[in-house]
Amino acid sequence: MMKYINNFMLVLVFLPFLCGCQGLADTLKDYTGDGEIRYVGKCTDMVVSPGWKHLTVDWTNSVDPIVRHVMVKWESESLSDSVVLNAGTHEYDIKDLNDGSYRVSVMGMDKGGSKSEEVFTYARPYTENHEAVLAFTQVVSRHFFIGNRLALGFSDWQNSVISAILKYTKSNGDTTSLNIDSKLVGKGYYLLPDAIDPARPVTLYRKGFLTGCADTITFAPVVLTDVPVFNSDFKEFIRRTYGTGSEQMTADGEIRTEWAKSVTTLELDGNFTSFNDILYMPNLKKLVLGKHRYLTEEGAKDTKRGRYAVYDTKGSAFALKTLKSLNGLETDRYASHYYNFSLNDYYKNMGLSPLPELSTIPLTKAMLEVSPADAAGYNSNIANLIDGKSNTFWEPAESSEEQTYTIDIDLGQMKSVAGLFLVQRTFDASDQDTEDLPSSIQVDVVGEDGEYQSATNVVEIGLGRTTGETNIVPFKYGLGKVRFVRLRIPSQFVRSFYRVTLAEIGLYQ
């Protein structure tokens, strides 16, 4: 009897809890509907491979049996689109895409249209505007129209190139082509044997592939234009010699094409990347090398300091050979400049360049003022700068800090000045002071307007630094009369100190 009473009591104790659980289930039904939540299985392992104007999407489908479709969606700043595919599809090619970054996503779908959690990534197709496409080798790195002839310069051959074909029209009207391969590119430069019709287009066609892109790409055709693209050092030489805004150079520093095509004689001085810029001068008949470097016999033996160099020896030899064969180009070379490649078949050796006769302006010590001035008890011998001797010299005291020395010259009245000259100190082969010689100078003048202005086409003028070498610095065209001339000479760092020395300065009319 007591057993039944105890069981009844237990039922009474748990009855409220059983009723409470039923109420909780009813409450959850209000939010979950008539059954449990059922999530659609999502895709995995999505990979997007960029191609030429398309993206190929691969993924692994879910094994969830309720998946009936797969949605692929792609979005960019200017486009949003999608496609619904049958279940089991694991690849889709998104075609006809423009340049841009695309958000690509894949989702599983059940028969009611419910979607799984998306998987997504970002990708960019290859198009004409893609950096990798723009950077693809053009194979022909430089080209030169020389009358009715065409010369080509090549970049290094790359294995990503499938084909490179140049199509042009010969002077007789026939259309033909040049197949450019690794063997031809290995020559570096090439003169087409055919006379061409320069009025008809010359077009380069290329096919190749890019790392990460499975497609063979047909790149946009490139039309070779008759617009010179001069090396920067050649442009700097023209600017230094003639100035911007001149007959030779525009105000923004570009060599005028019409001037380049009219040049028949050209004088070059300085170190150059290559001489192949002369191929932009189709009427060039005479080339003069190193004429304006005025060396002593000892200075000419100083290979390191006394000789100009050209670095692209293959291209330079090709340029001289080509213009000699087409125009009969004659080349004069002074003082063994550009010694680092053989020019024996192309130049006439002229020996040392003689100093030109200059109408010098007499200077006295009273006309010179140097800053910083000599310290008490030290004499830098400023008078040696105007004594006409290259074995006497001005030499300020060495300093632990870099110095720029200013030499002011007062002519006493307005005078026409065509330029200045500086003579480096004479030293012998065992002299340890060769590094003291100044490597550059700045020159300003005061004209009729009373204001200082640069006297030269470029602010800083490089100086030759061999023993006893004379540097002649012409002033820019149209300068007018001047009264004051100011030279700024920087010191050189030599053996833990800053030092500088100079033998002579002078002005000429």
Side-chain angles (χ1 to χ4, degrees):
M1 182 67 176
M2 289 300 298
K3 178 179 179 181
Y4 293 109
I5 293 174
N6 288 338
N7 290 338
F8 179 73
M9 292 299 295
L10 288 173
V11 172
L12 292 177
V13 170
F14 286 103
L15 182 60
F17 292 100
L18 294 174
C19 294
C21 291
Q22 182 63 37
L24 179 60
D26 291 338
T27 302
L28 290 175
K29 274 189 176 183
D30 294 338
Y31 295 94
T32 62
D34 295 332
E36 298 178 358
I37 297 176
R38 182 69 165 86
Y39 293 101
V40 180
K42 71 175 183 178
C43 305
T44 57
D45 303 326
M46 184 180 74
V47 175
V48 179
S49 303
W52 181 249
K53 297 186 178 181
H54 71 102
L55 297 171
T56 301
V57 189
D58 289 276
W59 64 91
T60 299
N61 287 299
S62 169
V63 295
D64 190 342
I66 71 169
V67 173
R68 299 295 180 87
H69 301 284
V70 178
M71 173 180 280
V72 179
K73 187 176 182 180
W74 55 97
E75 300 172 282
S76 69
E77 290 184 356
S78 59
L79 174 68
S80 180
D81 205 350
S82 63
V83 64
V84 176
L85 307 171
N86 291 328
T89 306
H90 61 85
E91 180 182 79
Y92 185 74
D93 197 20
I94 309 172
K95 298 179 179 180
D96 302 323
L97 295 178
N98 294 322
D99 185 48
S101 178
Y102 289 81
R103 184 183 188 274
V104 182
S105 60
V106 178
M107 294 167 284
M109 296 175 59
D110 64 15
K111 64 179 180 179
S114 297
K115 302 181 184 67
S116 71
E117 180 184 353
E118 67 174 358
V119 290
F120 68 91
T121 189
Y122 291 88
R124 182 185 178 191
Y126 290 97
T127 66
E128 294 89 349
N129 296 323
H130 196 287
E131 291 79 6
V133 175
L134 295 173
F136 189 80
T137 178
Q138 194 165 302
V139 184
V140 176
S141 58
R142 303 193 78 182
H143 63 275
F144 311 88
F145 288 91
I146 311 167
N148 66 351
R149 302 298 296 274
L150 177 64
L152 305 174
F154 303 110
S155 55
D156 292 336
W157 182 261
Q158 297 181 11
N159 291 331
S160 55
V161 178
I162 295 174
S163 67
I165 299 173
L166 189 73
K167 294 186 178 182
Y168 58 94
T169 303
K170 296 194 291 187
S171 58
N172 63 6
D174 293 341
T175 300
T176 187
S177 62
L178 172 71
N179 182 42
I180 303 173
D181 55 19
S182 59
K183 184 177 180 180
L184 184 62
V185 168
K187 295 181 178 181
Y189 294 86
Y190 181 71
L191 177 66
L192 266 68
D194 299 322
I196 69 168
D197 180 354
R200 303 289 295 275
V202 177
T203 308
L204 176 66
Y205 298 88
R206 298 163 297 153
K207 288 185 179 181
F209 60 88
L210 298 171
T211 302
C213 178
D215 301 324
T216 296
I217 299 175
T218 299
F219 296 90
V222 177
V223 178
L224 306 189
T225 63
D226 190 12
V227 178
V229 182
F230 290 95
N231 286 319
S232 58
D233 53 5
F234 192 87
K235 289 196 290 187
E236 177 62 19
F237 169 76
I238 297 298
R239 185 165 77 97
R240 187 171 67 246
T241 304
Y242 301 104
T244 54
S246 62
E247 175 189 344
Q248 296 79 12
M249 176 167 275
T250 65
D252 59 357
E254 295 297 328
I255 296 174
R256 297 184 189 275
T257 302
E258 58 272 22
W259 173 77
K261 290 184 177 181
S262 71
V263 171
T264 57
T265 300
L266 181 68
E267 297 179 348
L268 292 181
D269 291 272
N271 297 315
F272 290 95
T273 301
S274 177
F275 288 154
N276 57 28
D277 281 344
I278 67 174
L279 294 173
Y280 290 127
M281 301 176 173
N283 294 302
L284 187 64
K285 307 288 185 182
K286 182 79 171 183
L287 180 65
V288 182
L289 303 175
K291 181 180 179 180
H292 302 289
R293 186 85 185 266
Y294 304 104
L295 303 168
T296 64
E297 290 188 5
E298 288 302 313
K301 297 176 183 177
D302 187 344
T303 303
K304 179 180 178 181
R305 295 183 181 84
R307 298 182 184 179
Y308 293 135
V310 61
Y311 302 103
D312 176 13
T313 57
K314 181 183 287 188
S316 298
F318 172 80
L320 296 178
K321 178 180 178 181
T322 298
L323 286 187
K324 184 175 182 179
S325 66
L326 297 181
N327 293 354
L329 177 69
E330 295 181 358
T331 302
D332 291 346
R333 183 187 73 159
Y334 285 85
S336 299
H337 291 299
Y338 312 107
Y339 65 95
N340 58 328
F341 77 112
S342 176
L343 296 172
N344 293 333
D345 295 334
Y346 312 121
Y347 74 81
K348 179 181 178 182
N349 194 359
M350 306 299 293
L352 295 181
S353 184
L355 278 169
E357 294 185 7
L358 301 175
S359 177
T360 59
I361 300 174
L363 300 177
T364 67
K365 182 180 178 181
M367 296 178 176
L368 306 182
E369 182 176 335
V370 181
S371 176
D374 293 338
Y378 184 86
N379 183 8
S380 64
N381 294 306
I382 187 65
N384 287 346
L385 286 174
I386 53 174
D387 66 357
K389 302 175 183 178
S390 62
N391 61 348
T392 64
F393 47 87
W394 164 72
E395 187 176 46
E398 63 184 20
S399 172
S400 60
E401 297 181 352
E402 185 177 6
Q403 300 284 345
T404 296
Y405 295 91
T406 300
I407 300 178
D408 285 315
I409 304 173
D410 183 358
L411 297 176
Q413 62 184 17
M414 301 297 291
K415 290 187 177 182
S416 296
V417 182
L420 66 84
F421 62 89
L422 302 97
V423 182
Q424 299 284 21
R425 173 179 169 180
T426 299
F427 54 87
D428 58 38
S430 62
D431 200 324
Q432 296 299 306
D433 295 331
T434 58
E435 295 301 323
D436 296 5
L437 304 181
S439 59
S440 65
I441 189 173
Q442 295 182 26
V443 187
D444 295 322
V445 294
V446 175
E448 295 177 347
D449 60 0
E451 299 290 334
Y452 274 102
Q453 62 173 306
S454 176
T456 53
N457 292 316
V458 294
V459 173
E460 187 173 37
I461 301 295
L463 299 177
R465 303 175 71 207
T466 63
T467 177
E469 179 173 354
T470 300
N471 289 267
I472 297 179
V473 181
F475 288 175
K476 61 187 177 184
Y477 178 78
L479 190 61
K481 292 184 177 182
V482 302
R483 169 162 180 184
F484 298 98
V485 179
R486 171 172 289 175
L487 285 64
R488 289 188 175 91
I489 304 175
S491 58
Q492 308 294 307
F493 185 72
V494 184
R495 298 189 300 277
S496 303
F497 290 95
Y498 289 92
R499 306 171 58 173
V500 72
T501 184
L502 188 66
E504 290 288 308
I505 62 171
L507 303 173
Y508 65 91
Q509 294 177 315

